[in-house]
Amino acid sequence: MAASDEKRGSWRVGVLFSQTGVTSTIERSQLNATLLAIEEINAAGGILDRPIEPVIYDPASNPKQFRSLAERLLQVDRVRLLFGCYMTSTRKTILPVVEAYRGLLFYPTLYEGFEYSRNCIYTGAAPNQNSIQLARYLLSAYGNRFFFVGSNYIYPYESNRLMADFVAQGRGKVLDELYVSLQPEPKDFDRVIAKIKKAAPDVIFSTVVGSGTAMFYQAYREAGFDPGKMPIASLTTSEAEVAEMSAEAAEGHITAAPFFETLSTPSARQFVGNFKQRFGADAPVTAGAEAAYFQMHLAMRALARCGTDDPERVLSELRDSEFDAPQGRVRIDRENNHTYLWPRIARLDGQGRFRTVWNPGVRIKPDPYCVVQSLDDWSADEIHASAT
Ligand code: ACM
């Protein structure tokens, strides 16, 4: 029997988000949201009269540290439910450990798809919930000549591979595909800017992550490009990365995600208000944070139903379970452990705030292996809403 199943007074859960390193700004937003959900649950009496107690480490945006801290959580701290990871490289490093110890990882980040682990619940967007819609929007609004720029690791390679398929479906062309270091310096973008100037694409698809994002957008602005004609579109430029750049550098660029801080629905306003009250008016509220928030609520409701943190039992309770998240009602798919989500696309305004430009008001069933790879069919769920 694991420590948290004994009569110890609290449910201990592992939390692994980087508080330092290249992706720490976005991961801190996910950590904050995890803590907010825990505090809400504890303030309402905990789960079966026991509080949730997070065991938190800082893996410093480093896959090796993620792995050793996941081992420590599962083996030494003897927790069974883990919440964490942003970069795919960190998820892929800890999943074999989570599987070996029969734990359960809750992963709140968009990723490239083409993965299923029985021991992972994926609550960020799969490509059929963000990339297809983004490709379609860009092809119709800007043109079909794309230029890809990414950070040098697995998510950008795979995300670009899929985006290239969608662009080809739209009779478009990828003019070039460049990668910069995961920990770049501003001068690393000189080569990128020179190549963009020469290629003169209609749109740039950026899979740059973390602190390099602000350097890229800043370099783009300094080059004098016009975002109204040739925007940077991304799935990984969230409120956290925008907080690290000037509003002028952000203006006019585009992101696809299920949640933005500026959504006007009552549940989104309440979540953002509570988040800012707890962590400060300047604390960015991101789609990754929203997923981190609702996944903790979903997990703890499942735990309350089965009365144990045994991952097998929690997993059975999670299948088909739903939760009224800030983005709309989400649901865990019983077959692939991914989440039904609400796609949206937004453009950054002159204050660096996301303004929705496309919102179909439908919930999309996750299709992580892109079985349906069509620009015109994203496997929409039966639920429709007028949420903005
Ligand atoms: C990512 O690496 N999944 C953003």
Side-chain angles (χ1 to χ4, degrees):
M1 194 175 266
S4 46
D5 233 10
E6 295 161 11
K7 293 210 178 313
R8 304 171 40 106
S10 64
W11 301 103
R12 291 162 74 241
V13 298
V15 178
L16 280 184
F17 291 112
S18 304
Q19 295 163 57
T20 53
V22 69
T23 50
S24 55
T25 310
I26 174 76
E27 292 194 55
R28 257 189 266 117
S29 80
Q30 294 176 300
L31 172 61
N32 287 346
T34 301
L35 296 178
L36 181 65
I38 290 175
E39 287 167 13
E40 284 176 3
I41 295 164
N42 287 346
I47 300 296
L48 305 174
D49 294 329
R50 291 164 59 184
I52 308 162
E53 181 190 332
V55 182
I56 303 170
Y57 296 117
D58 172 15
S61 311
N62 178 319
K64 282 198 185 126
Q65 291 199 46
F66 266 91
R67 188 180 171 106
S68 64
L69 290 170
E71 265 164 358
R72 179 166 166 178
L73 281 166
L74 291 157
Q75 196 179 16
V76 181
D77 299 314
R78 296 179 63 77
V79 307
R80 302 200 276 187
L81 305 180
L82 264 59
F83 298 80
C85 294
Y86 177 77
M87 281 188 280
T88 284
S89 48
T90 64
R91 184 191 72 257
K92 291 225 182 259
T93 313
I94 75 166
L95 268 182
V97 178
V98 175
E99 287 169 358
Y101 285 96
R102 298 195 165 78
L104 186 57
L105 170 68
F106 291 80
Y107 175 59
T109 307
L110 72 111
Y111 86 111
E112 65 286 353
F114 291 84
E115 186 181 287
Y116 165 78
S117 166
R118 202 168 182 283
N119 301 70
C120 186
I121 296 289
Y122 304 78
T123 57
N128 78 305
Q129 297 168 310
N130 57 11
S131 308
I132 294 187
Q133 295 80 5
L134 183 60
R136 210 163 165 268
Y137 178 79
L138 297 171
L139 284 160
S140 68
Y142 294 97
N144 63 5
R145 299 168 67 257
F146 280 58
F147 191 105
F148 291 173
V149 184
S151 297
N152 194 8
Y153 78 105
I154 180 166
Y155 157 74
Y157 309 149
E158 285 297 299
S159 184
N160 281 339
R161 183 177 64 77
L162 275 165
M163 189 54 103
D165 282 351
F166 301 142
V167 171
Q169 266 189 52
R171 299 190 206 295
K173 199 170 168 203
V174 179
L175 305 179
D176 208 344
E177 180 171 341
L178 295 184
Y179 293 93
V180 291
S181 159
L182 188 53
Q183 300 187 48
E185 293 175 26
K187 69 173 167 43
D188 293 331
F189 290 98
D190 293 351
R191 173 181 67 105
V192 175
I193 295 296
K195 291 222 173 195
I196 292 172
K197 255 187 196 144
K198 197 155 173 227
D202 297 323
V203 61
I204 297 158
F205 177 53
S206 169
T207 47
V208 175
V209 301
S211 51
T213 308
M215 294 176 203
F216 180 32
Y217 284 54
Q218 210 71 44
Y220 171 103
R221 166 139 181 108
E222 279 157 24
F225 296 138
D226 177 2
K229 294 212 176 79
M230 181 189 70
I232 304 174
S234 175
L235 310 169
T236 47
T237 301
S238 73
E239 291 80 354
E241 291 74 21
V242 170
E244 295 180 323
M245 62 181 85
S246 67
E248 293 78 24
E251 184 174 9
H253 298 300
I254 291 165
T255 295
F259 175 87
F260 294 102
E261 192 179 296
T262 44
L263 290 188
S264 58
T265 57
S267 59
R269 295 322 314 143
Q270 179 160 11
F271 168 59
V272 170
N274 292 345
F275 192 103
K276 301 261 182 197
Q277 192 172 20
R278 172 68 178 80
F279 301 106
D282 291 337
V285 194
T286 64
E290 192 251 1
Y293 172 80
F294 78 66
Q295 70 174 15
M296 180 60 73
H297 277 289
L298 268 169
M300 292 303 122
R301 284 186 179 192
L303 197 157
R305 287 195 295 275
C306 60
T308 169
D309 65 356
D310 177 343
E312 277 302 322
R313 303 271 305 277
V314 174
L315 195 52
S316 338
E317 287 296 336
L318 278 167
R319 295 201 176 105
D320 289 338
S321 67
E322 296 203 332
F323 181 75
D324 283 320
Q327 67 175 276
R329 180 169 292 185
V330 298
R331 175 193 186 104
I332 305 297
D333 187 282
R334 67 158 43 247
E335 279 164 6
N336 62 37
N337 284 9
H338 288 62
T339 310
Y340 288 61
L341 300 171
W342 301 81
R344 294 175 169 98
I345 297 176
R347 188 191 302 122
L348 285 152
D349 69 13
Q351 281 77 50
R353 292 172 62 76
F354 284 107
R355 298 293 167 201
T356 307
V357 291
W358 183 82
N359 173 20
V362 290
R363 191 173 77 170
I364 306 293
K365 179 177 162 59
D367 177 17
Y369 286 86
C370 275
V371 177
V372 180
Q373 284 214 29
S374 164
L375 282 179
D376 297 316
D377 178 0
W378 338 307
S379 311
D381 190 15
E382 71 285 358
I383 289 191
H384 294 256
S386 56
T388 54

PDB file of all heavy atoms in Angstrom, residues 338-367:
ATOM      1  N   HIS A 338      -6.935  11.035 -24.206  1.00  0.00           N
ATOM      2  CA  HIS A 338      -6.810  12.462 -24.509  1.00  0.00           C
ATOM      3  C   HIS A 338      -8.147  13.146 -24.173  1.00  0.00           C
ATOM      4  O   HIS A 338      -9.086  12.483 -23.719  1.00  0.00           O
ATOM      5  CB  HIS A 338      -6.448  12.668 -25.982  1.00  0.00           C
ATOM      6  CG  HIS A 338      -5.029  12.271 -26.316  1.00  0.00           C
ATOM      7  ND1 HIS A 338      -4.561  10.983 -26.164  1.00  0.00           N
ATOM      8  CD2 HIS A 338      -3.987  12.989 -26.789  1.00  0.00           C
ATOM      9  CE1 HIS A 338      -3.281  10.932 -26.527  1.00  0.00           C
ATOM     10  NE2 HIS A 338      -2.916  12.133 -26.917  1.00  0.00           N
ATOM     11  N   THR A 339      -8.226  14.464 -24.438  1.00  0.00           N
ATOM     12  CA  THR A 339      -9.367  15.238 -23.946  1.00  0.00           C
ATOM     13  C   THR A 339     -10.123  15.930 -25.081  1.00  0.00           C
ATOM     14  O   THR A 339      -9.496  16.473 -25.996  1.00  0.00           O
ATOM     15  CB  THR A 339      -8.843  16.309 -22.942  1.00  0.00           C
ATOM     16  OG1 THR A 339      -8.002  15.650 -21.994  1.00  0.00           O
ATOM     17  CG2 THR A 339      -9.978  16.992 -22.213  1.00  0.00           C
ATOM     18  N   TYR A 340     -11.431  15.885 -25.003  1.00  0.00           N
ATOM     19  CA  TYR A 340     -12.266  16.660 -25.924  1.00  0.00           C
ATOM     20  C   TYR A 340     -12.118  18.138 -25.561  1.00  0.00           C
ATOM     21  O   TYR A 340     -12.342  18.521 -24.403  1.00  0.00           O
ATOM     22  CB  TYR A 340     -13.744  16.298 -25.749  1.00  0.00           C
ATOM     23  CG  TYR A 340     -14.194  14.945 -26.243  1.00  0.00           C
ATOM     24  CD1 TYR A 340     -13.664  13.763 -25.725  1.00  0.00           C
ATOM     25  CD2 TYR A 340     -15.199  14.850 -27.190  1.00  0.00           C
ATOM     26  CE1 TYR A 340     -14.118  12.525 -26.166  1.00  0.00           C
ATOM     27  CE2 TYR A 340     -15.666  13.618 -27.627  1.00  0.00           C
ATOM     28  CZ  TYR A 340     -15.120  12.458 -27.114  1.00  0.00           C
ATOM     29  OH  TYR A 340     -15.570  11.246 -27.534  1.00  0.00           O
ATOM     30  N   LEU A 341     -11.750  18.975 -26.553  1.00  0.00           N
ATOM     31  CA  LEU A 341     -11.455  20.392 -26.273  1.00  0.00           C
ATOM     32  C   LEU A 341     -12.132  21.311 -27.288  1.00  0.00           C
ATOM     33  O   LEU A 341     -12.617  20.858 -28.321  1.00  0.00           O
ATOM     34  CB  LEU A 341      -9.930  20.623 -26.334  1.00  0.00           C
ATOM     35  CG  LEU A 341      -9.056  19.820 -25.357  1.00  0.00           C
ATOM     36  CD1 LEU A 341      -7.580  19.997 -25.693  1.00  0.00           C
ATOM     37  CD2 LEU A 341      -9.317  20.238 -23.915  1.00  0.00           C
ATOM     38  N   TRP A 342     -12.084  22.615 -27.003  1.00  0.00           N
ATOM     39  CA  TRP A 342     -12.752  23.645 -27.815  1.00  0.00           C
ATOM     40  C   TRP A 342     -11.706  24.477 -28.560  1.00  0.00           C
ATOM     41  O   TRP A 342     -11.044  25.323 -27.948  1.00  0.00           O
ATOM     42  CB  TRP A 342     -13.562  24.561 -26.896  1.00  0.00           C
ATOM     43  CG  TRP A 342     -14.610  23.853 -26.096  1.00  0.00           C
ATOM     44  CD1 TRP A 342     -14.413  23.150 -24.944  1.00  0.00           C
ATOM     45  CD2 TRP A 342     -16.005  23.763 -26.392  1.00  0.00           C
ATOM     46  NE1 TRP A 342     -15.612  22.634 -24.488  1.00  0.00           N
ATOM     47  CE2 TRP A 342     -16.608  23.007 -25.371  1.00  0.00           C
ATOM     48  CE3 TRP A 342     -16.802  24.273 -27.418  1.00  0.00           C
ATOM     49  CZ2 TRP A 342     -17.965  22.727 -25.340  1.00  0.00           C
ATOM     50  CZ3 TRP A 342     -18.165  23.997 -27.392  1.00  0.00           C
ATOM     51  CH2 TRP A 342     -18.733  23.229 -26.368  1.00  0.00           C
ATOM     52  N   PRO A 343     -11.547  24.311 -29.875  1.00  0.00           N
ATOM     53  CA  PRO A 343     -10.507  25.076 -30.582  1.00  0.00           C
ATOM     54  C   PRO A 343     -10.876  26.544 -30.783  1.00  0.00           C
ATOM     55  O   PRO A 343     -12.051  26.871 -30.983  1.00  0.00           O
ATOM     56  CB  PRO A 343     -10.404  24.368 -31.937  1.00  0.00           C
ATOM     57  CG  PRO A 343     -11.749  23.790 -32.158  1.00  0.00           C
ATOM     58  CD  PRO A 343     -12.305  23.445 -30.800  1.00  0.00           C
ATOM     59  N   ARG A 344      -9.879  27.387 -30.722  1.00  0.00           N
ATOM     60  CA  ARG A 344     -10.060  28.819 -30.972  1.00  0.00           C
ATOM     61  C   ARG A 344      -8.786  29.369 -31.603  1.00  0.00           C
ATOM     62  O   ARG A 344      -7.705  28.788 -31.443  1.00  0.00           O
ATOM     63  CB  ARG A 344     -10.317  29.568 -29.649  1.00  0.00           C
ATOM     64  CG  ARG A 344     -11.624  29.199 -28.969  1.00  0.00           C
ATOM     65  CD  ARG A 344     -11.746  29.893 -27.614  1.00  0.00           C
ATOM     66  NE  ARG A 344     -13.087  29.777 -27.063  1.00  0.00           N
ATOM     67  CZ  ARG A 344     -13.474  28.875 -26.161  1.00  0.00           C
ATOM     68  NH1 ARG A 344     -12.621  27.987 -25.693  1.00  0.00           N
ATOM     69  NH2 ARG A 344     -14.705  28.845 -25.710  1.00  0.00           N
ATOM     70  N   ILE A 345      -8.925  30.491 -32.283  1.00  0.00           N
ATOM     71  CA  ILE A 345      -7.752  31.176 -32.835  1.00  0.00           C
ATOM     72  C   ILE A 345      -7.855  32.645 -32.431  1.00  0.00           C
ATOM     73  O   ILE A 345      -8.944  33.233 -32.464  1.00  0.00           O
ATOM     74  CB  ILE A 345      -7.698  31.044 -34.374  1.00  0.00           C
ATOM     75  CG1 ILE A 345      -7.538  29.558 -34.764  1.00  0.00           C
ATOM     76  CG2 ILE A 345      -6.532  31.862 -34.958  1.00  0.00           C
ATOM     77  CD1 ILE A 345      -7.577  29.284 -36.256  1.00  0.00           C
ATOM     78  N   ALA A 346      -6.720  33.225 -32.020  1.00  0.00           N
ATOM     79  CA  ALA A 346      -6.731  34.629 -31.602  1.00  0.00           C
ATOM     80  C   ALA A 346      -5.540  35.376 -32.191  1.00  0.00           C
ATOM     81  O   ALA A 346      -4.509  34.777 -32.516  1.00  0.00           O
ATOM     82  CB  ALA A 346      -6.708  34.729 -30.079  1.00  0.00           C
ATOM     83  N   ARG A 347      -5.727  36.690 -32.336  1.00  0.00           N
ATOM     84  CA  ARG A 347      -4.649  37.568 -32.820  1.00  0.00           C
ATOM     85  C   ARG A 347      -4.294  38.539 -31.702  1.00  0.00           C
ATOM     86  O   ARG A 347      -5.174  39.007 -30.968  1.00  0.00           O
ATOM     87  CB  ARG A 347      -5.114  38.333 -34.060  1.00  0.00           C
ATOM     88  CG  ARG A 347      -3.964  39.098 -34.719  1.00  0.00           C
ATOM     89  CD  ARG A 347      -4.407  40.093 -35.786  1.00  0.00           C
ATOM     90  NE  ARG A 347      -5.161  39.486 -36.864  1.00  0.00           N
ATOM     91  CZ  ARG A 347      -6.404  39.835 -37.209  1.00  0.00           C
ATOM     92  NH1 ARG A 347      -7.044  40.787 -36.543  1.00  0.00           N
ATOM     93  NH2 ARG A 347      -7.017  39.237 -38.199  1.00  0.00           N
ATOM     94  N   LEU A 348      -3.006  38.856 -31.573  1.00  0.00           N
ATOM     95  CA  LEU A 348      -2.567  39.762 -30.514  1.00  0.00           C
ATOM     96  C   LEU A 348      -2.841  41.208 -30.905  1.00  0.00           C
ATOM     97  O   LEU A 348      -2.533  41.621 -32.031  1.00  0.00           O
ATOM     98  CB  LEU A 348      -1.076  39.555 -30.246  1.00  0.00           C
ATOM     99  CG  LEU A 348      -0.788  38.263 -29.459  1.00  0.00           C
ATOM    100  CD1 LEU A 348       0.601  37.718 -29.783  1.00  0.00           C
ATOM    101  CD2 LEU A 348      -0.932  38.506 -27.961  1.00  0.00           C
ATOM    102  N   ASP A 349      -3.418  41.975 -29.969  1.00  0.00           N
ATOM    103  CA  ASP A 349      -3.715  43.381 -30.263  1.00  0.00           C
ATOM    104  C   ASP A 349      -2.541  44.282 -29.824  1.00  0.00           C
ATOM    105  O   ASP A 349      -1.487  43.787 -29.404  1.00  0.00           O
ATOM    106  CB  ASP A 349      -5.045  43.798 -29.614  1.00  0.00           C
ATOM    107  CG  ASP A 349      -4.977  43.872 -28.087  1.00  0.00           C
ATOM    108  OD1 ASP A 349      -3.868  43.840 -27.524  1.00  0.00           O
ATOM    109  OD2 ASP A 349      -6.053  43.976 -27.458  1.00  0.00           O
ATOM    110  N   GLY A 350      -2.737  45.579 -29.906  1.00  0.00           N
ATOM    111  CA  GLY A 350      -1.666  46.542 -29.611  1.00  0.00           C
ATOM    112  C   GLY A 350      -1.240  46.575 -28.152  1.00  0.00           C
ATOM    113  O   GLY A 350      -0.216  47.162 -27.810  1.00  0.00           O
ATOM    114  N   GLN A 351      -2.039  45.953 -27.282  1.00  0.00           N
ATOM    115  CA  GLN A 351      -1.646  45.853 -25.861  1.00  0.00           C
ATOM    116  C   GLN A 351      -1.066  44.479 -25.536  1.00  0.00           C
ATOM    117  O   GLN A 351      -0.872  44.148 -24.370  1.00  0.00           O
ATOM    118  CB  GLN A 351      -2.852  46.092 -24.934  1.00  0.00           C
ATOM    119  CG  GLN A 351      -3.225  47.549 -24.734  1.00  0.00           C
ATOM    120  CD  GLN A 351      -3.973  48.092 -25.932  1.00  0.00           C
ATOM    121  OE1 GLN A 351      -4.924  47.482 -26.391  1.00  0.00           O
ATOM    122  NE2 GLN A 351      -3.518  49.215 -26.464  1.00  0.00           N
ATOM    123  N   GLY A 352      -0.846  43.686 -26.557  1.00  0.00           N
ATOM    124  CA  GLY A 352      -0.310  42.336 -26.326  1.00  0.00           C
ATOM    125  C   GLY A 352      -1.346  41.397 -25.734  1.00  0.00           C
ATOM    126  O   GLY A 352      -1.005  40.454 -25.021  1.00  0.00           O
ATOM    127  N   ARG A 353      -2.636  41.639 -26.060  1.00  0.00           N
ATOM    128  CA  ARG A 353      -3.697  40.772 -25.541  1.00  0.00           C
ATOM    129  C   ARG A 353      -4.327  39.997 -26.696  1.00  0.00           C
ATOM    130  O   ARG A 353      -4.520  40.535 -27.782  1.00  0.00           O
ATOM    131  CB  ARG A 353      -4.765  41.602 -24.820  1.00  0.00           C
ATOM    132  CG  ARG A 353      -4.216  42.216 -23.525  1.00  0.00           C
ATOM    133  CD  ARG A 353      -5.193  43.185 -22.895  1.00  0.00           C
ATOM    134  NE  ARG A 353      -6.464  42.598 -22.494  1.00  0.00           N
ATOM    135  CZ  ARG A 353      -6.654  41.830 -21.422  1.00  0.00           C
ATOM    136  NH1 ARG A 353      -5.634  41.548 -20.622  1.00  0.00           N
ATOM    137  NH2 ARG A 353      -7.838  41.360 -21.132  1.00  0.00           N
ATOM    138  N   PHE A 354      -4.646  38.721 -26.429  1.00  0.00           N
ATOM    139  CA  PHE A 354      -5.230  37.890 -27.484  1.00  0.00           C
ATOM    140  C   PHE A 354      -6.696  38.262 -27.708  1.00  0.00           C
ATOM    141  O   PHE A 354      -7.490  38.291 -26.772  1.00  0.00           O
ATOM    142  CB  PHE A 354      -5.140  36.402 -27.107  1.00  0.00           C
ATOM    143  CG  PHE A 354      -3.759  35.831 -27.274  1.00  0.00           C
ATOM    144  CD1 PHE A 354      -2.970  35.544 -26.166  1.00  0.00           C
ATOM    145  CD2 PHE A 354      -3.237  35.577 -28.534  1.00  0.00           C
ATOM    146  CE1 PHE A 354      -1.694  35.011 -26.313  1.00  0.00           C
ATOM    147  CE2 PHE A 354      -1.962  35.038 -28.696  1.00  0.00           C
ATOM    148  CZ  PHE A 354      -1.184  34.760 -27.582  1.00  0.00           C
ATOM    149  N   ARG A 355      -7.040  38.520 -28.977  1.00  0.00           N
ATOM    150  CA  ARG A 355      -8.427  38.797 -29.355  1.00  0.00           C
ATOM    151  C   ARG A 355      -8.882  37.677 -30.280  1.00  0.00           C
ATOM    152  O   ARG A 355      -8.253  37.427 -31.315  1.00  0.00           O
ATOM    153  CB  ARG A 355      -8.524  40.134 -30.096  1.00  0.00           C
ATOM    154  CG  ARG A 355      -8.100  41.323 -29.257  1.00  0.00           C
ATOM    155  CD  ARG A 355      -9.064  41.567 -28.102  1.00  0.00           C
ATOM    156  NE  ARG A 355      -8.527  42.492 -27.114  1.00  0.00           N
ATOM    157  CZ  ARG A 355      -8.945  42.577 -25.861  1.00  0.00           C
ATOM    158  NH1 ARG A 355      -9.908  41.781 -25.402  1.00  0.00           N
ATOM    159  NH2 ARG A 355      -8.419  43.445 -25.036  1.00  0.00           N
ATOM    160  N   THR A 356      -9.985  37.033 -29.942  1.00  0.00           N
ATOM    161  CA  THR A 356     -10.454  35.878 -30.726  1.00  0.00           C
ATOM    162  C   THR A 356     -10.828  36.311 -32.141  1.00  0.00           C
ATOM    163  O   THR A 356     -11.586  37.262 -32.327  1.00  0.00           O
ATOM    164  CB  THR A 356     -11.691  35.248 -30.041  1.00  0.00           C
ATOM    165  OG1 THR A 356     -11.346  34.976 -28.680  1.00  0.00           O
ATOM    166  CG2 THR A 356     -12.100  33.946 -30.709  1.00  0.00           C
ATOM    167  N   VAL A 357     -10.315  35.589 -33.134  1.00  0.00           N
ATOM    168  CA  VAL A 357     -10.684  35.887 -34.520  1.00  0.00           C
ATOM    169  C   VAL A 357     -11.452  34.736 -35.147  1.00  0.00           C
ATOM    170  O   VAL A 357     -12.041  34.882 -36.223  1.00  0.00           O
ATOM    171  CB  VAL A 357      -9.450  36.218 -35.398  1.00  0.00           C
ATOM    172  CG1 VAL A 357      -8.835  37.548 -34.997  1.00  0.00           C
ATOM    173  CG2 VAL A 357      -8.406  35.102 -35.349  1.00  0.00           C
ATOM    174  N   TRP A 358     -11.453  33.590 -34.485  1.00  0.00           N
ATOM    175  CA  TRP A 358     -12.176  32.439 -35.030  1.00  0.00           C
ATOM    176  C   TRP A 358     -12.554  31.520 -33.877  1.00  0.00           C
ATOM    177  O   TRP A 358     -11.715  31.138 -33.073  1.00  0.00           O
ATOM    178  CB  TRP A 358     -11.275  31.697 -36.021  1.00  0.00           C
ATOM    179  CG  TRP A 358     -11.927  30.542 -36.705  1.00  0.00           C
ATOM    180  CD1 TRP A 358     -12.734  30.587 -37.798  1.00  0.00           C
ATOM    181  CD2 TRP A 358     -11.811  29.166 -36.344  1.00  0.00           C
ATOM    182  NE1 TRP A 358     -13.124  29.312 -38.138  1.00  0.00           N
ATOM    183  CE2 TRP A 358     -12.567  28.435 -37.270  1.00  0.00           C
ATOM    184  CE3 TRP A 358     -11.127  28.477 -35.328  1.00  0.00           C
ATOM    185  CZ2 TRP A 358     -12.681  27.049 -37.220  1.00  0.00           C
ATOM    186  CZ3 TRP A 358     -11.235  27.103 -35.261  1.00  0.00           C
ATOM    187  CH2 TRP A 358     -12.008  26.401 -36.205  1.00  0.00           C
ATOM    188  N   ASN A 359     -13.846  31.259 -33.773  1.00  0.00           N
ATOM    189  CA  ASN A 359     -14.339  30.414 -32.687  1.00  0.00           C
ATOM    190  C   ASN A 359     -15.559  29.661 -33.196  1.00  0.00           C
ATOM    191  O   ASN A 359     -16.654  30.209 -33.234  1.00  0.00           O
ATOM    192  CB  ASN A 359     -14.718  31.286 -31.484  1.00  0.00           C
ATOM    193  CG  ASN A 359     -15.395  30.470 -30.399  1.00  0.00           C
ATOM    194  OD1 ASN A 359     -15.264  29.241 -30.361  1.00  0.00           O
ATOM    195  ND2 ASN A 359     -16.131  31.140 -29.530  1.00  0.00           N
ATOM    196  N   PRO A 360     -15.384  28.412 -33.619  1.00  0.00           N
ATOM    197  CA  PRO A 360     -16.507  27.690 -34.221  1.00  0.00           C
ATOM    198  C   PRO A 360     -17.559  27.255 -33.189  1.00  0.00           C
ATOM    199  O   PRO A 360     -18.644  26.845 -33.576  1.00  0.00           O
ATOM    200  CB  PRO A 360     -15.833  26.469 -34.864  1.00  0.00           C
ATOM    201  CG  PRO A 360     -14.618  26.230 -34.030  1.00  0.00           C
ATOM    202  CD  PRO A 360     -14.168  27.589 -33.566  1.00  0.00           C
ATOM    203  N   GLY A 361     -17.222  27.336 -31.883  1.00  0.00           N
ATOM    204  CA  GLY A 361     -18.198  26.936 -30.871  1.00  0.00           C
ATOM    205  C   GLY A 361     -18.505  25.449 -30.883  1.00  0.00           C
ATOM    206  O   GLY A 361     -19.620  25.041 -30.577  1.00  0.00           O
ATOM    207  N   VAL A 362     -17.521  24.639 -31.246  1.00  0.00           N
ATOM    208  CA  VAL A 362     -17.725  23.177 -31.193  1.00  0.00           C
ATOM    209  C   VAL A 362     -16.607  22.532 -30.378  1.00  0.00           C
ATOM    210  O   VAL A 362     -15.483  23.019 -30.353  1.00  0.00           O
ATOM    211  CB  VAL A 362     -17.735  22.517 -32.604  1.00  0.00           C
ATOM    212  CG1 VAL A 362     -18.978  22.885 -33.377  1.00  0.00           C
ATOM    213  CG2 VAL A 362     -16.480  22.859 -33.382  1.00  0.00           C
ATOM    214  N   ARG A 363     -16.978  21.434 -29.751  1.00  0.00           N
ATOM    215  CA  ARG A 363     -15.986  20.679 -28.995  1.00  0.00           C
ATOM    216  C   ARG A 363     -15.447  19.576 -29.894  1.00  0.00           C
ATOM    217  O   ARG A 363     -16.215  18.903 -30.581  1.00  0.00           O
ATOM    218  CB  ARG A 363     -16.661  20.080 -27.753  1.00  0.00           C
ATOM    219  CG  ARG A 363     -15.706  19.494 -26.769  1.00  0.00           C
ATOM    220  CD  ARG A 363     -16.411  19.081 -25.492  1.00  0.00           C
ATOM    221  NE  ARG A 363     -17.145  17.839 -25.643  1.00  0.00           N
ATOM    222  CZ  ARG A 363     -17.680  17.169 -24.621  1.00  0.00           C
ATOM    223  NH1 ARG A 363     -17.590  17.650 -23.393  1.00  0.00           N
ATOM    224  NH2 ARG A 363     -18.331  16.051 -24.830  1.00  0.00           N
ATOM    225  N   ILE A 364     -14.138  19.388 -29.876  1.00  0.00           N
ATOM    226  CA  ILE A 364     -13.512  18.452 -30.810  1.00  0.00           C
ATOM    227  C   ILE A 364     -13.005  17.204 -30.089  1.00  0.00           C
ATOM    228  O   ILE A 364     -12.248  17.292 -29.115  1.00  0.00           O
ATOM    229  CB  ILE A 364     -12.320  19.118 -31.542  1.00  0.00           C
ATOM    230  CG1 ILE A 364     -12.747  20.422 -32.210  1.00  0.00           C
ATOM    231  CG2 ILE A 364     -11.702  18.169 -32.549  1.00  0.00           C
ATOM    232  CD1 ILE A 364     -13.708  20.274 -33.348  1.00  0.00           C
ATOM    233  N   LYS A 365     -13.427  16.063 -30.621  1.00  0.00           N
ATOM    234  CA  LYS A 365     -12.950  14.774 -30.084  1.00  0.00           C
ATOM    235  C   LYS A 365     -11.453  14.629 -30.400  1.00  0.00           C
ATOM    236  O   LYS A 365     -11.031  14.911 -31.516  1.00  0.00           O
ATOM    237  CB  LYS A 365     -13.739  13.657 -30.765  1.00  0.00           C
ATOM    238  CG  LYS A 365     -13.374  12.256 -30.351  1.00  0.00           C
ATOM    239  CD  LYS A 365     -14.294  11.267 -31.073  1.00  0.00           C
ATOM    240  CE  LYS A 365     -13.749   9.847 -31.071  1.00  0.00           C
ATOM    241  NZ  LYS A 365     -13.533   9.278 -29.742  1.00  0.00           N
ATOM    242  N   PRO A 366     -10.657  14.201 -29.429  1.00  0.00           N
ATOM    243  CA  PRO A 366      -9.223  14.072 -29.719  1.00  0.00           C
ATOM    244  C   PRO A 366      -8.957  12.908 -30.670  1.00  0.00           C
ATOM    245  O   PRO A 366      -9.549  11.841 -30.536  1.00  0.00           O
ATOM    246  CB  PRO A 366      -8.614  13.788 -28.331  1.00  0.00           C
ATOM    247  CG  PRO A 366      -9.722  13.161 -27.548  1.00  0.00           C
ATOM    248  CD  PRO A 366     -10.990  13.800 -28.043  1.00  0.00           C
ATOM    249  N   ASP A 367      -8.051  13.147 -31.615  1.00  0.00           N
ATOM    250  CA  ASP A 367      -7.674  12.121 -32.596  1.00  0.00           C
ATOM    251  C   ASP A 367      -6.139  12.168 -32.685  1.00  0.00           C
ATOM    252  O   ASP A 367      -5.581  12.651 -33.667  1.00  0.00           O
ATOM    253  CB  ASP A 367      -8.334  12.465 -33.945  1.00  0.00           C
ATOM    254  CG  ASP A 367      -7.968  11.511 -35.067  1.00  0.00           C
ATOM    255  OD1 ASP A 367      -7.465  10.405 -34.771  1.00  0.00           O
ATOM    256  OD2 ASP A 367      -8.171  11.874 -36.233  1.00  0.00           O
TER     257      ASP A 367
END
